[in-house]
Amino acid sequence: MNIINTYKALFISIFTIAILSINSLTALCQLFDSGQNPPSVKFKQINTPHFQIIYPTSLEHEAQRMANTLEDIILQVGAGLDVNPRKISIILQNQGTESNGFVQLAPRRSEFYTTPPQSFDYQDWLNSLAAHELRHVVQFEKLTGKLKAPFFEELALAVFGITLPPWFYEGDAVGTETALTNAGRGRLPEWDLIFRTNTLSGKKYSYSKDYLGSVKDRTPGYYQLGYFMTTKLKRDEGRMAIDSIFERLKSNPFRPYNLSRAVKKISGMNTKNLHDSTVHELEKLWKNQSSQIQSVQYKSINKRQKNIPQDYLLPQHLSDGKILVLKQSSDRSPALLQIDKNGKEKRLVKIGFQEQPNFNYANGKIVWDEFRYDKRFQKRSFSVINIYDLKTKSVKQLTHQSRLFSPALSADASFIIAVKLSADNRMTLVELNPETGESTKEYPNADFNIIQNPSINFNGDKIIFNSVSKNGNTLVELDRSTGISYQLIPFQQQLISNAKYAGDDIIFRAHYNGIDNIYKFNHFTKKITQISNAQFGAFNPSYHQFSDRLYFNNYQLLGHDASSVKLNEQKEKSIENIENTFIDYAKPLSRQENTGNVFDSIPNRQYESKPFHEINNLFYFHSLEPIADGANLYDDNIGFKFISNNKLNTMDFYAGYQYDNNLKKSEYLTGFTYKKFYPILDVRYINRARLAYSRRLRGQDTVVVPVNWRENFTELEVSVPFLFNRLNDTYSMGFNTSSSYTYRYNILNRSSSFRSELLFPMKYQVYLNHNVRRSARDLAPQWGQNLTFTYQHFPFSNINGDLFSFRSLFYLPGFFTNHSIQARFNYQLGSGAYDLTTDIPRVTGYSHLTTNKYLTNTLLLNYRFPIAYPDWELGPLAYIKRIRGGFFTDFENFAKRETVEPRTFGAELYADMNLLRFYLPNFALGGKVIFVNEKPAKNPIFEMSFTYSY
């Protein structure tokens, strides 16, 4: 048994190092954005003892506020890990519409995306980011603080990613943001909604499934799972439990199942046992909570046809008695659809990516916001308003390059109200013309709070919206005639959202009783009463004036159902008489930290700010990266590169050395990529040894003579990319051109025809791609057209020859849901020096076949389909999410044949899985059986495949 365990541990160690070797830069589950800001954005910087804050000039106020905030709370965030981190760069990004943030190494920095979301928790957005992301800064420092720039940041990132699963570091960060503030996601009933519903419904999944996810069932997600597991560790083992675990991890970072061993040493349970114990404890707490609520069962309007997780979001009454919903599902991309009284669904329009689901209906029109890429600079994005006319069945994009969110229509559809975000991160309400999208009126936001989810009353003279500040959440009403706003209720420690008018009253979602439910604010009495009493949670209320019906989402095991009740028939309960049953799982953490709200007493120092000049910050050397070309280190090049990436992602540089094992010669290389402006410039240089063989006549005999030389090879590439999206369609196109110069010297056994210089061969490439949005279960886009044209020649030398190639990839829907047909037609025509060059994809199994020297075209056809979603857990070694199969038929030079027959055909079978409980990369293990349609042929041919993706 000891021998078996030893070999098992050895295998795991080797496999872990192999994962590290694959790509250390993406070892973490959070893949970092490497896009750029437009060159017109000018940056400034503030330096404090712990931070360099880099920010666009328009964010001066927020930068000063964050400088004070970050410097004041960093020691409290790091106290639980007993570390005072080194100075780090914090970059405030205000050009995009995404609400996010991250911390990374290589280069070491953190980015705060300053756009506030339309629903989060009940505190200032940047404050929430600060508490969460600074915990990651502290985690990095604790585990890998000794592995620093300029040589070891990539190694530190890899050590962090391999040692810690994302549930651990993200859960710890969520626990920290909750314990140190009056808000935080740990205080929201919606945060544990899926986890709680699964558990109370008898769906208690394995550790691997809860952590690694599923495409068959709803699982809590590693943020939520990690919050409860790490919080349990701190509750049971004390405030410094996480610190003790980090200390053990540092002592042996590459030990197999290192975290599980460390957790067991501290708590007596490995990670699997900790998961099971946490679920067992939560089940008791949630069952007790559920028994106190005495919930009501609500009838669903939608009829589920399949046992597939689906959400029927934001139900709203249509004029003909049908309801309108936004349907999201794991097997189909999101779409707006209508449901009739019998539950029959009719799809109206597929929509694109939204930061948060939203739409609003009135008088035959539907409006919603939608994400739009910038054509080139991916740090910039937009949120535009679309409108759909139910009568004409047409979609119109009303705004372009806008930053508008949560649009709502007036009852007669005569105007739209939306939230507008300016470059200085301030929100206002703006009215839009529903025909042209033009702004007709803008309402100032004097207190600069976050504005969320505006809605218009039936008469069109008042607007209700949420206002969020560091003090919490409140309801504010705006009188359109005077432009004056009135705060209706005191600031609440509540996630109040989706407020709508119900006659003179206001309905909204909140969690006064510990579960998300629908509440009503009475304008005359100024009292709040509870309307719904859902078992798991009620969300997204809307009201139909003429039928007096309340529509809302009632969450169930398979997702959000659409439900409806008569509003005046509901028993109302004043919130003064409601018992809050919320399970405050992090309450002991707040007592452990004993800080109160860390944002209560932030100083207001004025820091010196100065310009951040890119020319002075082009280089940031952070890592030595190994070079290992090929699978066999004894046959190929090995060496290292010294890597620099500047913190605004505009300049990448490397310089390195490698040793050619075949030729026993040294090689030197360098290169850079400059991405600040629209074209991307890529320059590469290598000084290397080369070997070729020349046939020569000696007397009457032909002999093969080795020709050795060294060469300086310099290559320049210019690329111009474009990216667009509309609804559920994404388009990318671009133009690349490259050339090179080669100078050869120290030539041994030179022939008369041997060239010392290769002058600027040219390569041009144009690509045009269109693909529709995929669902989680789709193996490929349901529709897609991808074309690439390439031309190569020698215009500046007397070398004859050119090569034209065309590649294509078309996606079509298969015969059943999530099946995919893929067709690739490829063509090439070469001459002279390119006569025998192959620049197009070949038939399956070509390495086992005789080479076709004059390949001109291929036609590759595939039919791929999912077989099962087993969610099999093979101990700690593998977790198999999906088994998929396919058939293929490949043709070669078919236009030249009298009869069109495939050269190869066959079938494939793959299993998609996670290995060793690593969240990323995703692995696919399987193979193909290939039949060759020619004689003589060895049939069948078997090929095994082991691939990974992020």
Side-chain angles (χ1 to χ4, degrees), residues 251-473:
S251 63
N252 196 345
F254 294 110
R255 181 176 56 182
Y257 304 115
N258 199 5
L259 177 65
S260 188
R261 292 170 183 260
V263 169
K264 187 170 185 179
K265 192 69 176 180
I266 299 301
S267 67
M269 299 180 289
N270 60 24
T271 50
K272 180 182 181 300
N273 299 144
L274 174 63
H275 165 271
D276 296 344
S277 178
T278 304
V279 173
H280 181 69
E281 180 180 342
L282 288 171
E283 182 181 22
K284 290 182 179 179
L285 294 170
W286 285 332
K287 281 185 175 180
N288 181 60
Q289 178 193 33
S290 184
S291 67
Q292 298 177 57
I293 290 175
Q294 299 179 344
S295 59
V296 176
Q297 297 300 314
Y298 297 100
K299 185 179 179 180
S300 298
I301 300 171
N302 52 282
K303 307 295 183 184
R304 296 181 180 271
Q305 303 298 321
K306 296 179 286 187
N307 193 32
I308 295 175
Q310 297 172 331
D311 290 319
Y312 294 84
L313 296 172
L314 301 150
Q316 296 171 41
H317 187 97
L318 288 173
S319 57
D320 54 2
K322 300 173 183 177
I323 71 162
L324 187 66
V325 297
L326 170 58
K327 185 176 180 181
Q328 295 183 340
S329 173
S330 60
D331 66 336
R332 294 186 183 275
S333 57
L336 291 168
L337 53 86
Q338 64 183 26
I339 305 175
D340 66 18
K341 295 179 181 178
N342 298 318
K344 186 177 180 181
E345 301 174 8
K346 179 182 178 182
R347 182 181 299 167
L348 300 178
V349 60
K350 293 182 179 180
I351 70 170
F353 178 75
Q354 296 180 293
E355 287 296 332
Q356 288 167 324
N358 73 84
F359 76 89
N360 185 248
Y361 166 80
N363 197 29
K365 305 289 177 65
I366 309 170
V367 292
W368 69 96
D369 66 34
E370 202 168 276
F371 175 87
R372 288 288 182 271
Y373 293 108
D374 181 85
K375 294 188 294 292
R376 158 68 177 86
F377 299 102
Q378 296 308 297
K379 290 295 185 186
R380 181 169 64 184
S381 59
F382 307 101
S383 182
V384 303
I385 306 299
N386 291 330
I387 190 166
Y388 179 84
D389 191 313
L390 280 130
K391 183 177 181 180
T392 63
K393 296 179 173 55
S394 60
V395 180
K396 182 179 181 180
Q397 182 174 319
L398 289 177
T399 66
H400 301 268
Q401 295 190 345
S402 58
R403 292 153 60 86
L404 299 170
F405 304 90
S406 299
L409 280 161
S410 61
D412 59 0
S414 62
F415 70 93
I416 299 169
I417 193 73
V419 178
K420 179 181 178 181
L421 180 68
S422 63
D424 60 358
N425 219 40
R426 293 176 176 175
M427 289 180 155
T428 55
L429 287 176
V430 60
E431 290 185 10
L432 305 173
N433 184 311
E435 300 296 329
T436 65
E438 294 180 358
S439 174
T440 57
K441 192 173 184 179
E442 187 167 346
Y443 299 96
N445 178 15
D447 53 13
F448 306 122
N449 288 345
I450 296 170
I451 296 175
Q452 297 174 335
N453 303 306
S455 185
I456 309 164
N457 71 347
F458 185 78
N459 295 327
D461 58 351
K462 295 185 185 299
I463 297 168
I464 189 72
F465 59 91
N466 295 106
S467 180
V468 184
S469 74
K470 65 178 183 179
N471 299 314
N473 200 331

Side-chain angles (χ1 to χ4, degrees), residues 122-279:
Y122 39 86
Q123 66 179 328
D124 177 86
W125 166 243
L126 287 180
N127 283 357
S128 181
L129 270 184
H132 185 93
E133 301 305 335
L134 288 193
R135 184 63 171 189
H136 289 321
V137 172
V138 173
Q139 291 167 345
F140 272 118
E141 188 73 14
K142 182 69 178 182
L143 186 62
T144 64
K146 294 182 179 180
L147 299 174
K148 305 175 182 179
F151 300 116
F152 299 121
E153 281 193 358
E154 276 194 7
L155 177 60
L157 180 63
V159 168
F160 191 91
I162 286 176
T163 304
L164 293 181
W167 70 257
F168 185 82
Y169 56 78
E170 292 295 1
D172 175 53
V174 173
T176 299
E177 81 183 45
T178 305
L180 297 182
T181 73
N182 290 333
R185 284 168 283 184
R187 289 194 172 90
L188 304 179
E190 187 181 22
W191 180 247
D192 59 43
L193 179 64
I194 295 175
F195 204 179
R196 174 164 41 91
T197 303
N198 287 354
T199 304
L200 293 177
S201 303
K203 297 290 185 179
K204 292 184 287 185
Y205 299 128
S206 68
Y207 166 53
S208 292
K209 184 166 180 173
D210 275 340
Y211 163 37
L212 298 170
S214 170
V215 286
K216 178 174 69 173
D217 300 304
R218 287 270 170 91
T219 57
Y222 60 79
Y223 275 81
Q224 291 84 343
L225 177 68
Y227 162 71
F228 285 107
M229 290 176 66
T230 56
T231 299
K232 180 174 175 57
L233 281 172
K234 299 173 195 176
R235 286 164 47 117
D236 294 352
E237 309 304 328
R239 177 172 179 259
M240 302 306 292
I242 303 298
D243 181 77
S244 299
I245 290 171
F246 271 102
E247 289 293 339
R248 295 192 63 82
L249 295 177
K250 286 196 299 183
S251 63
N252 196 345
F254 294 110
R255 181 176 56 182
Y257 304 115
N258 199 5
L259 177 65
S260 188
R261 292 170 183 260
V263 169
K264 187 170 185 179
K265 192 69 176 180
I266 299 301
S267 67
M269 299 180 289
N270 60 24
T271 50
K272 180 182 181 300
N273 299 144
L274 174 63
H275 165 271
D276 296 344
S277 178
T278 304
V279 173

Side-chain angles (χ1 to χ4, degrees), residues 771 784-787 807-811 822-826:
N771 296 286
Q785 305 82 38
N786 303 271
L787 310 174
R807 299 182 178 207
S808 67
L809 173 58
F810 297 93
Y811 296 108
Q822 299 170 36
R824 290 180 288 175
F825 173 69
N826 312 285

